[in-house]
């Protein structure tokens, strides 16, 4: 019989397959390091004043759950460094809208010209914008007491690590922390002087007793030219949303390997906080899944109700409205000439719907078939609608032509 954590992962994988590809346990990968490795359970080190951890997992849900457990359970006066690498994933911030930030249809189809499995969609617990993770993108996390928190201090630590590596110097760029607390690389160019590229972004979570600053660093990703289509939603021009929108920036790889970057960050961390008694703890998947609190966090992060249901209120409209008078993008799909649609969605649930101009085969008792169909969509969860053609047919009391409209809504959502 499978253990409870393993059975949980199998169940979650089946439940959310059509929404978030690859919610399964990822393959283990080896981590090499010249520093001493502590093999006993990482939970035995949570009381130490200085702690260093590396995860062997590439599962983004599990790594974020380990990180959250360290945030909650490490000694309130301790300082923690946690390093990990995720398999291909699109990670949105705590208060972001996946329908606005991500091309969900493209996400399900996978990276273009790539044999890798389709990326996973993840909502983290911290704020900030949407980022793409893969094997060429390292993740670093610092947990410390709130009085020691500073948005630049640990970004500067990573900059020092990058500057100390010959690989970064060979790229000919100068790395620094900008005013947005991101790590950027300035490159001299023949025309225009200097071009600036983002190589690392940050996000934060602050509690009464602990603070978390975690960030990414683009090292050697093979997908930089492929992810643009994933991080731009076709519905962007039709949505007015609350929440946090991402700020897009030109990006670039630093040109380093994951282990050399991690070793350099560990070295700078030790200079700042001491040698952590010489111990560096590697956290394996089996060990992490044996922890009930980590499994609880994993269950939450993989739930569609977390990934999609945490989305703040937003409105989707095919036409300018009083609240959103913007001109709308052109629609290339074949739609009925008089077609109009407006949805108000809160926590992923349709609160109000107004569709007009659909082509019905006949009417019933002089009723407005548009109104009947629109009302039937209310209270449906947007993220459980797999095919809008089927959803519209089921909502309509009479036969209706929905091929063009349904395919366009599939493209939007």
């Amino acid at each position: 019989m499978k253990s409870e954590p393993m059975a949980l992962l199998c169940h979650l994988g089946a439940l959310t397959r059509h929404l978030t590809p690859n919610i399964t346990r990822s393959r283990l990968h080896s981590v090499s390091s010249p520093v001493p490795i502590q093999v006993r359970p990482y939970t035995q080190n949570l009381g130490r004043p200085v702690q260093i951890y590396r995860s062997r997992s590439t599962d983004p849900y599990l790594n974020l759950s380990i990180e959250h457990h360290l945030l909650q359970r490490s000694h309130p006066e301790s300082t923690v460094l946690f390093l990990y690498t995720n398999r291909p994933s699109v990670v949105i911030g705590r208060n972001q809208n996946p329908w606005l930030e991500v091309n969900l249809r493209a996400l399900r189809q996978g990276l273009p010209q790539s044999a890798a499995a389709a990326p996973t969609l993840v909502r983290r617990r911290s704020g900030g914008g949407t980022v793409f993770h893969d094997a060429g993108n390292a993740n670093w996390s610092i947990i410390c007491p709130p009085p020691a928190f500073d948005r630049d201090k640990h970004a500067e630590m990573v900059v020092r690590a990058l500057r100390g590596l010959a690989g970064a110097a060979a790229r000919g760029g100068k790395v620094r922390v900008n005013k947005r607390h991101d790590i950027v690389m300035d490159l001299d160019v023949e025309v225009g002087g200097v071009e600036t590229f983002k190589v690392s972004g940050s996000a934060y979570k602050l509690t009464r007793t602990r603070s978390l600053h975690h960030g990414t660093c683009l090292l050697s990703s093979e997908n930089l030219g492929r992810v643009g289509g994933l991080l731009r939603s076709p519905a962007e021009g039709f949505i007015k949303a609350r929440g946090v929108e991402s700020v897009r920036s030109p990006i670039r790889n630093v040109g380093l390997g994951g282990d050399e970057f991690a070793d350099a960050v560990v070295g700078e961390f030790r200079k700042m906080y001491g040698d952590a008694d010489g111990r560096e703890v590697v956290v394996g998947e089996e060990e992490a899944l044996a922890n009930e609190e980590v499994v609880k966090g994993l269950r939450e992060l993989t739930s569609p109700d977390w990934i999609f249901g945490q989305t703040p209120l937003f409105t989707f409209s095919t036409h300018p409205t009083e609240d959103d008078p913007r001109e709308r993008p052109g629609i290339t799909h074949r739609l009925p000439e008089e077609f109009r649609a407006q949805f108000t969605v809160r926590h992923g649930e349709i609160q109000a719907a107004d569709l007009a101009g659909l082509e019905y085969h006949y009417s019933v008792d002089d009723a407005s078939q548009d109104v009947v169909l629109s009302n039937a969509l209310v209270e449906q969860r947007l993220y459980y609608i797999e095919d809008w053609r089927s959803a519209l047919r089921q909502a309509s009391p009479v036969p209706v032509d929905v091929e063009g409209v349904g395919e366009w809504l599939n493209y939007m959502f």
Side-chain angles (χ1 to χ4, degrees), residues 21-238:
N22 303 328
I23 300 180
T24 59
R25 290 187 59 224
S26 57
R27 297 189 299 270
L28 296 179
H29 70 281
S30 62
V31 179
S32 60
S33 173
V35 298
I37 299 298
Q38 183 75 4
V39 295
R40 64 183 180 180
Y42 77 93
T43 52
Q44 297 185 23
N45 293 270
L46 295 176
R48 295 185 178 278
V50 180
Q51 303 164 39
I52 303 172
Y53 303 93
R54 292 197 208 192
S55 173
R56 287 190 179 183
S57 175
T58 59
D59 185 322
Y61 304 104
L62 183 56
N63 282 327
L64 287 174
S65 297
I66 296 169
E67 180 186 75
H68 188 61
H69 184 247
L70 292 172
L71 176 68
Q72 291 184 308
R73 296 303 178 187
S74 58
H75 191 281
E77 296 301 319
S78 68
T79 303
V80 179
L81 171 65
F82 180 47
L83 298 161
Y84 57 97
T85 299
N86 289 330
R87 64 170 181 254
S89 313
V90 173
V91 186
I92 63 174
R94 171 67 178 83
N95 300 307
Q96 289 199 292
N97 182 330
W99 292 282
L100 179 62
E101 299 290 336
V102 184
N103 186 328
L104 295 173
R105 188 178 191 181
L107 183 73
R108 297 183 187 104
Q109 293 173 344
L111 293 168
Q113 300 177 344
S114 173
T120 301
L121 179 64
V122 184
R123 183 189 295 274
R124 61 180 180 267
R125 295 182 177 90
S126 59
T130 300
V131 293
F132 179 81
H133 291 176
D134 65 6
N137 186 351
N139 299 275
W140 51 273
S141 175
I142 300 288
I143 300 167
C144 63
F149 173 77
D150 181 278
R151 290 179 185 268
D152 286 336
K153 179 169 64 175
H154 295 111
E156 293 285 0
M157 178 192 76
V158 173
V159 165
R160 289 194 298 274
L162 290 172
R163 288 175 178 171
L165 292 168
R171 301 286 292 188
K174 175 185 177 183
V175 288
R176 60 181 174 86
V177 179
N178 68 7
K179 292 181 180 180
R180 293 183 53 82
H181 316 291
D182 296 325
I183 299 175
V184 297
M185 176 183 285
D186 296 325
L187 292 176
D188 294 328
V189 294
E190 293 182 4
V191 180
V194 175
E195 281 190 81
T196 300
F197 298 87
K198 183 175 177 179
V199 298
S200 175
S202 294
Y204 316 92
K205 182 176 178 61
L206 306 179
T207 71
R208 183 177 59 84
T209 58
R210 300 294 270 160
S211 64
L212 165 69
H213 177 183
H214 56 183
T216 64
C217 193
L218 286 167
L219 302 177
S220 57
S221 173
E222 298 179 352
N223 293 303
L224 293 192
R226 299 170 177 169
V227 301
L230 294 180
L231 303 187
R232 188 174 293 276
S233 168
E236 182 179 0
F238 301 92

Side-chain angles (χ1 to χ4, degrees), residues 347-395:
H347 298 323
E349 181 180 274
I350 299 174
Q351 304 284 298
D354 183 9
L355 280 78
L358 291 168
E359 297 176 351
Y360 300 92
H361 291 195
Y362 56 85
S363 62
V364 177
D365 299 329
D366 297 324
S368 169
Q369 306 309 311
D370 285 333
V371 172
V372 175
L373 185 152
S374 298
N375 289 340
L377 293 173
V378 174
E379 296 185 356
Q380 290 198 36
R381 295 187 181 185
L382 188 59
Y383 49 96
Y384 284 137
I385 298 178
E386 296 186 51
D387 186 347
W388 275 92
R389 293 167 297 187
S390 176
L392 293 174
R393 289 192 186 101
Q394 292 177 13

Side-chain angles (χ1 to χ4, degrees), residues 292-330:
E292 183 177 341
E293 291 184 344
V294 171
V295 172
K296 180 181 178 181
L298 183 67
R299 183 184 294 113
E300 179 181 49
L301 289 188
T302 52
S303 165
D305 290 339
W306 169 265
I307 298 170
F308 295 96
Q310 292 296 313
T311 303
L313 179 74
F314 72 94
T315 301
F316 173 93
S317 180
T318 58
H319 54 282
T321 64
E322 183 178 348
D323 290 336
D324 186 8
R326 295 174 301 160
E327 289 297 321
R328 298 304 193 260

